[in-house]
Amino acid sequence: MLLAAVEPTATWYLVLAALVFAIGSVGLMVRRNPLVMFMCIELMLNAVNLTFVALATRFGNIDGQTAVFFVMVVAAAEVVVGLGIIISVLRRRPGATADDLAELKG
Amino acid sequence: MELVVFVIASAMVLVGALGVVVRSNPVHAALSLVLTLFGIAVHFVAMEAHFLAAVQIIVYAGAIVVLFLFVIMLLGVDKSEDLSIEPFPIQRPLAVVIGASLAALVIAAAVRASDRLPEGTPLEADGDSNIELLAQNLFSDYVFAFEFTSVLLIVAVAGTVMLTRKEKKGGDS
């Protein structure tokens, strides 16, 4: 079978990652719920992770996978701090949207 | 075979990503995010990055999404929001245009560069060699950055505890 012989190349993964990154950025611009905006940031981080691994495989260089490891650590820390901020905002003002975060200004 | 895996995993990733953006209920959005993360883990396995695939499942699907769901339940915001309310009428078309042009730009760059990407020797991928390679790299070239992530995690935990602690009555926080 001819189709089975086609192997996905690094470019395919880069195109997929570009699409996911664009979807995540549109979501970040469109949605107003801070939790969903956070999920869109995770989408964008994962798109970048995909490019790192695709190019690490293509170049035969493990450094890209190490970078993904650090991205995951930073993403975990970022989610913890971000959700802490969201909890303290939403506890004070239930149903707050991203627009209401302007009230954080002193 | 690899083509089939790629197509199915890509469909999972894209459907999940669209679900995060268009689902009105935050719980459904979080579950769509799980679908995307699993699809990306499948891609990692297909590219022989076994360790990262496992970490992706454990850290993202197991910890981060559960944290999201926990916060959604804790705050009681697990109701559908009305997505038809649009404070700025221009915002959505503009966001779609910006997103489409971003995707077009990056895809054009990736396709143009596709035959100029240098081809390296493939990484060894038998048994545990992916973990061994990653460990050697992490604990030799990047050991300082690795140690520094522990400081980052401590700062994040301490900061979150400070942020979310309820102030005691009487003002002495």
Side-chain angles (χ1 to χ4, degrees):
Chain A
M1 201 174 143
L2 189 65
L3 205 60
V6 181
E7 283 198 19
T9 62
T11 309
W12 297 25
Y13 288 106
L14 296 185
V15 169
L16 176 68
L19 288 175
V20 176
F21 190 88
I23 292 172
S25 66
V26 169
L28 194 63
M29 289 186 267
V30 164
R31 296 300 295 261
R32 324 193 80 76
N33 184 335
L35 282 165
V36 180
M37 290 171 75
F38 237 110
M39 292 178 206
C40 292
I41 293 177
E42 296 304 313
L43 272 185
M44 292 162 80
L45 284 171
N46 271 282
V48 175
N49 281 352
L50 196 58
T51 64
F52 266 127
V53 175
L55 290 176
T57 308
R58 170 73 185 226
F59 294 163
N61 186 340
I62 199 78
D63 282 355
Q65 296 192 12
T66 313
V68 171
F69 181 79
F70 285 119
V71 170
M72 283 175 176
V73 174
V74 173
E78 169 236 328
V79 163
V80 168
V81 175
L83 287 179
I85 294 173
I86 290 174
I87 285 180
S88 49
V89 169
L90 287 189
R91 197 190 269 153
R92 189 170 292 255
R93 178 182 251 274
T97 65
D99 302 327
D100 299 328
L101 296 186
E103 289 185 9
L104 285 177
K105 283 187 289 196
Chain B
M1 193 58 206
E2 273 139 6
L3 186 72
V4 176
V5 172
F6 181 87
V7 169
I8 294 174
S10 303
M12 281 166 71
V13 169
L14 289 176
V15 168
L18 285 174
V20 172
V21 176
V22 302
R23 285 304 198 119
S24 58
N25 189 326
V27 178
H28 295 171
L31 294 179
S32 302
L33 187 62
V34 175
L35 187 64
T36 300
L37 299 175
F38 267 94
I40 288 179
V42 172
H43 279 311
F44 284 176
V45 173
M47 288 187 283
E48 313 281 354
H50 300 131
F51 177 72
L52 288 178
V55 172
Q56 171 92 2
I57 300 287
I58 294 168
V59 172
Y60 267 109
I64 291 183
V65 175
V66 170
L67 200 59
F68 270 114
L69 288 172
F70 180 75
V71 168
I72 291 170
M73 301 300 173
L74 179 74
L75 295 172
V77 290
D78 53 337
K79 314 175 211 43
S80 295
E81 47 187 310
D82 190 0
L83 288 183
S84 57
I85 300 172
E86 227 186 319
F88 308 111
I90 190 73
Q91 189 181 15
R92 281 182 197 173
L94 201 61
V96 171
V97 168
I98 292 174
S101 21
L102 185 68
L105 207 64
V106 180
I107 289 172
V111 170
R112 237 178 96 82
S114 61
D115 31 323
R116 263 173 288 168
L117 288 179
E119 184 103 46
T121 50
L123 300 167
E124 301 169 53
D126 49 324
D128 295 337
S129 63
N130 174 250
I131 297 178
E132 282 167 15
L133 274 176
L134 197 55
Q136 274 165 9
N137 193 247
L138 194 60
F139 291 109
S140 58
D141 293 355
Y142 295 96
V143 69
F144 180 70
F146 180 75
E147 298 293 343
F148 204 71
T149 55
S150 56
V151 179
L152 178 75
L153 289 172
I154 288 289
V155 170
V157 170
T160 310
V161 171
M162 283 301 294
L163 270 174
T164 54
R165 197 168 57 163
K166 275 192 180 131
E167 287 188 18
K168 283 190 194 118
K169 280 170 194 156
D172 53 346
S173 66

